[in-house]
Amino acid sequence: KQEVTQIPAALSVPEGENLVLNCSFTDSAIYNLQWFRQDPGKGLTSLLLIQSSQREQTSGRLNASLDKSSGRSTLYIAASQPGDSATYLCAVLSGGYQKVTFGTGTKLQVIP
Amino acid sequence: DVKVTQSSRYLVKRTGEKVFLECVQDMDHENMFWYRQDPGLGLRLIYFSYDVKMKEKGDIPEGYSVSREKKERFSLILESASTNQTSMYLCASRPSWDGRYEQYFGPGTRLTVT
């Protein structure tokens, strides 16, 4: 059974700092990994998708990497801004039914 | 842009009522999903559908049923609402089972059962 872990559960940083969010998974036979952002009381917004054959993806100030062999992904946020404050979730697509398994998220607060 | 919409943002129902949550996607996606999200438990899959009139149970299907009569619409039904079904319900869709494609989410429905 795939398990996805995100550590830390919460993170507080000053504005302008570069930061890294971590995601680990137990079964390396994945199809893809997706990073989402969730604002309080809202749905999930897709940030980046990394296919199993890829090592990283970039969008603006965001860069996500994938190391399947070690079961890890990181989301790098450059020059953080207060508007980046949200919960960040990673989700892994794997298994016979191609099920998506979510981590429980990292709640990020960027302090002005 | 892909758009996934849900019929209500907030809903308050009484115990024992039959509750319908509607989800519509506008991009001809084959796969649609219903999740619930609870603090400390994360997102859990209730049901999913990979085609019209096709459905599969997820991790926590008890107390729920679904309907997919048209490709764009996926309904979640609480046959007899209970207080432990108070939660945030999220609908999602994806073009197909191909790993190249993202999953897109709706804005969520916050359901309170009293």
Side-chain angles (χ1 to χ4, degrees), chain B residues 3-15:
Chain B
K3 194 161 188 181
V4 180
T5 58
Q6 295 183 229
S7 50
S8 305
R9 291 284 285 119
Y10 300 95
L11 211 51
V12 180
K13 295 292 182 181
R14 294 197 180 276
T15 302

Side-chain angles (χ1 to χ4, degrees), chain A residues 32 38 46 49 98-99, chain B residues 9 37 59 97 99-100 102:
Chain A
N32 66 37
Q38 186 175 31
S46 178
L49 174 80
Q98 296 199 14
K99 180 185 171 183
Chain B
R9 291 284 285 119
Q37 184 178 30
D59 298 321
W97 293 116
R100 291 174 295 169
E102 299 174 36

Side-chain angles (χ1 to χ4, degrees), chain B residues 47-64:
Chain B
Y47 268 97
F48 65 96
S49 169
Y50 50 89
D51 202 350
V52 175
K53 296 191 185 295
M54 305 303 288
K55 61 186 180 185
E56 291 287 342
K57 293 180 180 178
D59 298 321
I60 52 165
E62 297 78 19
Y64 303 94

